[in-house]
Amino acid sequence: MTEVTIYHNPRCSKSRQTLQLLQEQGYEPQVIEYMKQHFEPDAIKTLLSQLGFVSARELMRSKEDEFKALNLANENDEDKLIQAMIEHPRLIERPIVVVGDQARLGRPPEAVLELVQ
């Protein structure tokens, strides 16, 4: 069976729904609670590539208080955006599901099914 990894925040309803959907499909994904296990810069860069994102900004939750407080809407330095996500993991859009060399955001949760079917 395909190895599936989910970057999960159990406090997020979409993350819980995505995990449940994967389990209903017969997968027991490796669960990484990224709020507890912080990312390294290279891991975020890899995820950005797997997601097909051009900028770290695409992986950020722009409505979070930290986004506004850190004035990230005006930040164009990719390394600074990545560092902000490392220091404030709540800024990371969730959940992220990885299968092989591809990843999808679970928004909506069904979006991850194309990775496992």
PDB file of all heavy atoms in Angstrom, residues 41-56 58-59 78 82 96 98 100-104:
ATOM      1  N   PRO A  41      13.691  24.501   7.461  1.00  0.00           N
ATOM      2  CA  PRO A  41      13.500  25.241   6.213  1.00  0.00           C
ATOM      3  C   PRO A  41      13.461  24.346   4.973  1.00  0.00           C
ATOM      4  O   PRO A  41      12.601  24.534   4.100  1.00  0.00           O
ATOM      5  CB  PRO A  41      14.686  26.205   6.171  1.00  0.00           C
ATOM      6  CG  PRO A  41      15.075  26.383   7.600  1.00  0.00           C
ATOM      7  CD  PRO A  41      14.772  25.072   8.268  1.00  0.00           C
ATOM      8  N   ASP A  42      14.353  23.367   4.889  1.00  0.00           N
ATOM      9  CA  ASP A  42      14.384  22.500   3.710  1.00  0.00           C
ATOM     10  C   ASP A  42      13.111  21.676   3.571  1.00  0.00           C
ATOM     11  O   ASP A  42      12.667  21.390   2.460  1.00  0.00           O
ATOM     12  CB  ASP A  42      15.603  21.577   3.735  1.00  0.00           C
ATOM     13  CG  ASP A  42      16.896  22.325   3.428  1.00  0.00           C
ATOM     14  OD1 ASP A  42      16.828  23.463   2.905  1.00  0.00           O
ATOM     15  OD2 ASP A  42      17.972  21.772   3.701  1.00  0.00           O
ATOM     16  N   ALA A  43      12.508  21.303   4.690  1.00  0.00           N
ATOM     17  CA  ALA A  43      11.263  20.526   4.639  1.00  0.00           C
ATOM     18  C   ALA A  43      10.135  21.375   4.053  1.00  0.00           C
ATOM     19  O   ALA A  43       9.331  20.889   3.254  1.00  0.00           O
ATOM     20  CB  ALA A  43      10.894  20.017   6.029  1.00  0.00           C
ATOM     21  N   ILE A  44      10.074  22.634   4.431  1.00  0.00           N
ATOM     22  CA  ILE A  44       9.046  23.516   3.867  1.00  0.00           C
ATOM     23  C   ILE A  44       9.303  23.730   2.385  1.00  0.00           C
ATOM     24  O   ILE A  44       8.370  23.694   1.574  1.00  0.00           O
ATOM     25  CB  ILE A  44       8.980  24.852   4.638  1.00  0.00           C
ATOM     26  CG1 ILE A  44       8.412  24.607   6.034  1.00  0.00           C
ATOM     27  CG2 ILE A  44       8.131  25.872   3.869  1.00  0.00           C
ATOM     28  CD1 ILE A  44       8.291  25.826   6.903  1.00  0.00           C
ATOM     29  N   LYS A  45      10.561  23.918   2.003  1.00  0.00           N
ATOM     30  CA  LYS A  45      10.883  24.094   0.581  1.00  0.00           C
ATOM     31  C   LYS A  45      10.488  22.856  -0.227  1.00  0.00           C
ATOM     32  O   LYS A  45       9.961  22.967  -1.334  1.00  0.00           O
ATOM     33  CB  LYS A  45      12.366  24.402   0.417  1.00  0.00           C
ATOM     34  CG  LYS A  45      12.729  25.785   0.921  1.00  0.00           C
ATOM     35  CD  LYS A  45      14.225  26.035   0.860  1.00  0.00           C
ATOM     36  CE  LYS A  45      14.555  27.390   1.461  1.00  0.00           C
ATOM     37  NZ  LYS A  45      16.001  27.650   1.504  1.00  0.00           N
ATOM     38  N   THR A  46      10.713  21.680   0.345  1.00  0.00           N
ATOM     39  CA  THR A  46      10.318  20.442  -0.336  1.00  0.00           C
ATOM     40  C   THR A  46       8.805  20.378  -0.491  1.00  0.00           C
ATOM     41  O   THR A  46       8.295  20.038  -1.559  1.00  0.00           O
ATOM     42  CB  THR A  46      10.839  19.215   0.439  1.00  0.00           C
ATOM     43  OG1 THR A  46      12.268  19.257   0.444  1.00  0.00           O
ATOM     44  CG2 THR A  46      10.367  17.914  -0.189  1.00  0.00           C
ATOM     45  N   LEU A  47       8.073  20.700   0.576  1.00  0.00           N
ATOM     46  CA  LEU A  47       6.615  20.697   0.494  1.00  0.00           C
ATOM     47  C   LEU A  47       6.111  21.690  -0.551  1.00  0.00           C
ATOM     48  O   LEU A  47       5.192  21.380  -1.307  1.00  0.00           O
ATOM     49  CB  LEU A  47       5.990  21.022   1.851  1.00  0.00           C
ATOM     50  CG  LEU A  47       5.975  19.898   2.866  1.00  0.00           C
ATOM     51  CD1 LEU A  47       5.470  20.415   4.208  1.00  0.00           C
ATOM     52  CD2 LEU A  47       5.122  18.738   2.390  1.00  0.00           C
ATOM     53  N   LEU A  48       6.717  22.864  -0.610  1.00  0.00           N
ATOM     54  CA  LEU A  48       6.306  23.855  -1.606  1.00  0.00           C
ATOM     55  C   LEU A  48       6.456  23.285  -3.015  1.00  0.00           C
ATOM     56  O   LEU A  48       5.573  23.437  -3.857  1.00  0.00           O
ATOM     57  CB  LEU A  48       7.134  25.137  -1.458  1.00  0.00           C
ATOM     58  CG  LEU A  48       6.855  25.965  -0.205  1.00  0.00           C
ATOM     59  CD1 LEU A  48       7.900  27.061  -0.058  1.00  0.00           C
ATOM     60  CD2 LEU A  48       5.455  26.555  -0.246  1.00  0.00           C
ATOM     61  N   SER A  49       7.563  22.598  -3.239  1.00  0.00           N
ATOM     62  CA  SER A  49       7.802  21.978  -4.545  1.00  0.00           C
ATOM     63  C   SER A  49       6.786  20.872  -4.818  1.00  0.00           C
ATOM     64  O   SER A  49       6.212  20.791  -5.905  1.00  0.00           O
ATOM     65  CB  SER A  49       9.226  21.429  -4.597  1.00  0.00           C
ATOM     66  OG  SER A  49       9.441  20.732  -5.786  1.00  0.00           O
ATOM     67  N   GLN A  50       6.545  20.022  -3.824  1.00  0.00           N
ATOM     68  CA  GLN A  50       5.592  18.919  -3.985  1.00  0.00           C
ATOM     69  C   GLN A  50       4.176  19.441  -4.231  1.00  0.00           C
ATOM     70  O   GLN A  50       3.392  18.803  -4.937  1.00  0.00           O
ATOM     71  CB  GLN A  50       5.615  18.015  -2.749  1.00  0.00           C
ATOM     72  CG  GLN A  50       6.897  17.232  -2.599  1.00  0.00           C
ATOM     73  CD  GLN A  50       6.976  16.510  -1.264  1.00  0.00           C
ATOM     74  OE1 GLN A  50       6.602  17.041  -0.221  1.00  0.00           O
ATOM     75  NE2 GLN A  50       7.481  15.284  -1.295  1.00  0.00           N
ATOM     76  N   LEU A  51       3.845  20.559  -3.648  1.00  0.00           N
ATOM     77  CA  LEU A  51       2.530  21.165  -3.825  1.00  0.00           C
ATOM     78  C   LEU A  51       2.417  21.911  -5.150  1.00  0.00           C
ATOM     79  O   LEU A  51       1.322  22.250  -5.590  1.00  0.00           O
ATOM     80  CB  LEU A  51       2.222  22.130  -2.671  1.00  0.00           C
ATOM     81  CG  LEU A  51       1.911  21.492  -1.322  1.00  0.00           C
ATOM     82  CD1 LEU A  51       2.097  22.494  -0.191  1.00  0.00           C
ATOM     83  CD2 LEU A  51       0.497  20.933  -1.323  1.00  0.00           C
ATOM     84  N   GLY A  52       3.564  22.200  -5.763  1.00  0.00           N
ATOM     85  CA  GLY A  52       3.566  22.968  -7.007  1.00  0.00           C
ATOM     86  C   GLY A  52       3.410  24.461  -6.769  1.00  0.00           C
ATOM     87  O   GLY A  52       3.011  25.198  -7.669  1.00  0.00           O
ATOM     88  N   PHE A  53       3.738  24.913  -5.561  1.00  0.00           N
ATOM     89  CA  PHE A  53       3.610  26.325  -5.224  1.00  0.00           C
ATOM     90  C   PHE A  53       4.860  27.075  -5.659  1.00  0.00           C
ATOM     91  O   PHE A  53       5.975  26.580  -5.526  1.00  0.00           O
ATOM     92  CB  PHE A  53       3.406  26.520  -3.723  1.00  0.00           C
ATOM     93  CG  PHE A  53       2.060  26.063  -3.216  1.00  0.00           C
ATOM     94  CD1 PHE A  53       1.801  26.049  -1.866  1.00  0.00           C
ATOM     95  CD2 PHE A  53       1.049  25.654  -4.069  1.00  0.00           C
ATOM     96  CE1 PHE A  53       0.570  25.643  -1.373  1.00  0.00           C
ATOM     97  CE2 PHE A  53      -0.188  25.238  -3.600  1.00  0.00           C
ATOM     98  CZ  PHE A  53      -0.426  25.241  -2.244  1.00  0.00           C
ATOM     99  N   VAL A  54       4.673  28.283  -6.121  1.00  0.00           N
ATOM    100  CA  VAL A  54       5.774  29.130  -6.567  1.00  0.00           C
ATOM    101  C   VAL A  54       6.350  29.919  -5.391  1.00  0.00           C
ATOM    102  O   VAL A  54       7.540  30.159  -5.323  1.00  0.00           O
ATOM    103  CB  VAL A  54       5.297  30.095  -7.680  1.00  0.00           C
ATOM    104  CG1 VAL A  54       6.387  31.049  -8.090  1.00  0.00           C
ATOM    105  CG2 VAL A  54       4.785  29.302  -8.872  1.00  0.00           C
ATOM    106  N   SER A  55       5.496  30.308  -4.465  1.00  0.00           N
ATOM    107  CA  SER A  55       5.917  31.140  -3.340  1.00  0.00           C
ATOM    108  C   SER A  55       5.467  30.520  -2.015  1.00  0.00           C
ATOM    109  O   SER A  55       4.415  29.885  -1.938  1.00  0.00           O
ATOM    110  CB  SER A  55       5.300  32.533  -3.466  1.00  0.00           C
ATOM    111  OG  SER A  55       5.505  33.284  -2.281  1.00  0.00           O
ATOM    112  N   ALA A  56       6.259  30.763  -0.987  1.00  0.00           N
ATOM    113  CA  ALA A  56       5.905  30.314   0.362  1.00  0.00           C
ATOM    114  C   ALA A  56       4.588  30.948   0.810  1.00  0.00           C
ATOM    115  O   ALA A  56       3.838  30.362   1.591  1.00  0.00           O
ATOM    116  CB  ALA A  56       7.018  30.662   1.340  1.00  0.00           C
ATOM    117  N   GLU A  58       1.894  31.074  -0.661  1.00  0.00           N
ATOM    118  CA  GLU A  58       0.763  30.209  -1.025  1.00  0.00           C
ATOM    119  C   GLU A  58       0.448  29.185   0.057  1.00  0.00           C
ATOM    120  O   GLU A  58      -0.650  28.630   0.082  1.00  0.00           O
ATOM    121  CB  GLU A  58       1.056  29.487  -2.339  1.00  0.00           C
ATOM    122  CG  GLU A  58       1.170  30.406  -3.532  1.00  0.00           C
ATOM    123  CD  GLU A  58       1.566  29.658  -4.774  1.00  0.00           C
ATOM    124  OE1 GLU A  58       0.672  29.040  -5.397  1.00  0.00           O
ATOM    125  OE2 GLU A  58       2.761  29.672  -5.115  1.00  0.00           O
ATOM    126  N   LEU A  59       1.403  28.922   0.933  1.00  0.00           N
ATOM    127  CA  LEU A  59       1.227  27.943   2.006  1.00  0.00           C
ATOM    128  C   LEU A  59       0.845  28.615   3.328  1.00  0.00           C
ATOM    129  O   LEU A  59       0.668  27.959   4.330  1.00  0.00           O
ATOM    130  CB  LEU A  59       2.516  27.124   2.176  1.00  0.00           C
ATOM    131  CG  LEU A  59       2.481  25.928   3.106  1.00  0.00           C
ATOM    132  CD1 LEU A  59       1.399  24.931   2.691  1.00  0.00           C
ATOM    133  CD2 LEU A  59       3.836  25.244   3.149  1.00  0.00           C
ATOM    134  N   GLU A  78      11.528  35.140   0.374  1.00  0.00           N
ATOM    135  CA  GLU A  78      11.042  33.772   0.600  1.00  0.00           C
ATOM    136  C   GLU A  78      11.612  33.177   1.886  1.00  0.00           C
ATOM    137  O   GLU A  78      10.905  32.493   2.621  1.00  0.00           O
ATOM    138  CB  GLU A  78      11.390  32.877  -0.591  1.00  0.00           C
ATOM    139  CG  GLU A  78      10.572  33.166  -1.826  1.00  0.00           C
ATOM    140  CD  GLU A  78       9.097  32.824  -1.674  1.00  0.00           C
ATOM    141  OE1 GLU A  78       8.774  31.680  -1.306  1.00  0.00           O
ATOM    142  OE2 GLU A  78       8.270  33.719  -1.915  1.00  0.00           O
ATOM    143  N   ILE A  82       9.419  31.710   5.006  1.00  0.00           N
ATOM    144  CA  ILE A  82       9.614  30.346   5.519  1.00  0.00           C
ATOM    145  C   ILE A  82       9.973  30.383   6.998  1.00  0.00           C
ATOM    146  O   ILE A  82       9.442  29.612   7.802  1.00  0.00           O
ATOM    147  CB  ILE A  82      10.663  29.598   4.682  1.00  0.00           C
ATOM    148  CG1 ILE A  82      10.076  29.298   3.293  1.00  0.00           C
ATOM    149  CG2 ILE A  82      11.136  28.328   5.385  1.00  0.00           C
ATOM    150  CD1 ILE A  82      11.070  28.787   2.284  1.00  0.00           C
ATOM    151  N   ILE A  96      -1.752  19.104   5.098  1.00  0.00           N
ATOM    152  CA  ILE A  96      -0.969  18.789   3.908  1.00  0.00           C
ATOM    153  C   ILE A  96      -0.799  17.281   3.885  1.00  0.00           C
ATOM    154  O   ILE A  96      -0.384  16.682   4.874  1.00  0.00           O
ATOM    155  CB  ILE A  96       0.417  19.460   3.948  1.00  0.00           C
ATOM    156  CG1 ILE A  96       0.283  20.970   4.144  1.00  0.00           C
ATOM    157  CG2 ILE A  96       1.198  19.123   2.680  1.00  0.00           C
ATOM    158  CD1 ILE A  96       1.578  21.651   4.544  1.00  0.00           C
ATOM    159  N   VAL A  98       1.009  14.103   1.830  1.00  0.00           N
ATOM    160  CA  VAL A  98       2.101  13.787   0.912  1.00  0.00           C
ATOM    161  C   VAL A  98       2.041  12.303   0.571  1.00  0.00           C
ATOM    162  O   VAL A  98       1.919  11.456   1.452  1.00  0.00           O
ATOM    163  CB  VAL A  98       3.476  14.111   1.543  1.00  0.00           C
ATOM    164  CG1 VAL A  98       4.604  13.744   0.588  1.00  0.00           C
ATOM    165  CG2 VAL A  98       3.552  15.575   1.943  1.00  0.00           C
ATOM    166  N   GLY A 100       4.424   9.974  -2.040  1.00  0.00           N
ATOM    167  CA  GLY A 100       5.548   9.988  -2.972  1.00  0.00           C
ATOM    168  C   GLY A 100       6.142  11.375  -3.075  1.00  0.00           C
ATOM    169  O   GLY A 100       6.475  11.990  -2.061  1.00  0.00           O
ATOM    170  N   ASP A 101       6.237  11.882  -4.301  1.00  0.00           N
ATOM    171  CA  ASP A 101       6.830  13.200  -4.499  1.00  0.00           C
ATOM    172  C   ASP A 101       5.772  14.275  -4.776  1.00  0.00           C
ATOM    173  O   ASP A 101       6.087  15.344  -5.283  1.00  0.00           O
ATOM    174  CB  ASP A 101       7.870  13.169  -5.623  1.00  0.00           C
ATOM    175  CG  ASP A 101       7.258  12.818  -6.973  1.00  0.00           C
ATOM    176  OD1 ASP A 101       6.064  12.460  -7.020  1.00  0.00           O
ATOM    177  OD2 ASP A 101       7.983  12.907  -7.978  1.00  0.00           O
ATOM    178  N   GLN A 102       4.526  13.987  -4.417  1.00  0.00           N
ATOM    179  CA  GLN A 102       3.446  14.947  -4.611  1.00  0.00           C
ATOM    180  C   GLN A 102       2.722  15.211  -3.295  1.00  0.00           C
ATOM    181  O   GLN A 102       2.681  14.349  -2.415  1.00  0.00           O
ATOM    182  CB  GLN A 102       2.445  14.430  -5.636  1.00  0.00           C
ATOM    183  CG  GLN A 102       3.033  14.312  -7.023  1.00  0.00           C
ATOM    184  CD  GLN A 102       1.939  14.025  -8.030  1.00  0.00           C
ATOM    185  OE1 GLN A 102       0.810  14.491  -7.904  1.00  0.00           O
ATOM    186  NE2 GLN A 102       2.271  13.245  -9.041  1.00  0.00           N
ATOM    187  N   ALA A 103       2.161  16.404  -3.202  1.00  0.00           N
ATOM    188  CA  ALA A 103       1.407  16.784  -2.005  1.00  0.00           C
ATOM    189  C   ALA A 103       0.182  17.585  -2.422  1.00  0.00           C
ATOM    190  O   ALA A 103       0.145  18.176  -3.500  1.00  0.00           O
ATOM    191  CB  ALA A 103       2.287  17.609  -1.070  1.00  0.00           C
ATOM    192  N   ARG A 104      -0.813  17.578  -1.538  1.00  0.00           N
ATOM    193  CA  ARG A 104      -2.031  18.361  -1.743  1.00  0.00           C
ATOM    194  C   ARG A 104      -2.474  18.914  -0.400  1.00  0.00           C
ATOM    195  O   ARG A 104      -2.295  18.287   0.640  1.00  0.00           O
ATOM    196  CB  ARG A 104      -3.181  17.509  -2.296  1.00  0.00           C
ATOM    197  CG  ARG A 104      -2.972  16.948  -3.661  1.00  0.00           C
ATOM    198  CD  ARG A 104      -3.020  18.004  -4.751  1.00  0.00           C
ATOM    199  NE  ARG A 104      -2.833  17.412  -6.061  1.00  0.00           N
ATOM    200  CZ  ARG A 104      -1.665  17.120  -6.626  1.00  0.00           C
ATOM    201  NH1 ARG A 104      -0.548  17.365  -5.977  1.00  0.00           N
ATOM    202  NH2 ARG A 104      -1.604  16.595  -7.819  1.00  0.00           N
TER     203      ARG A 104
END
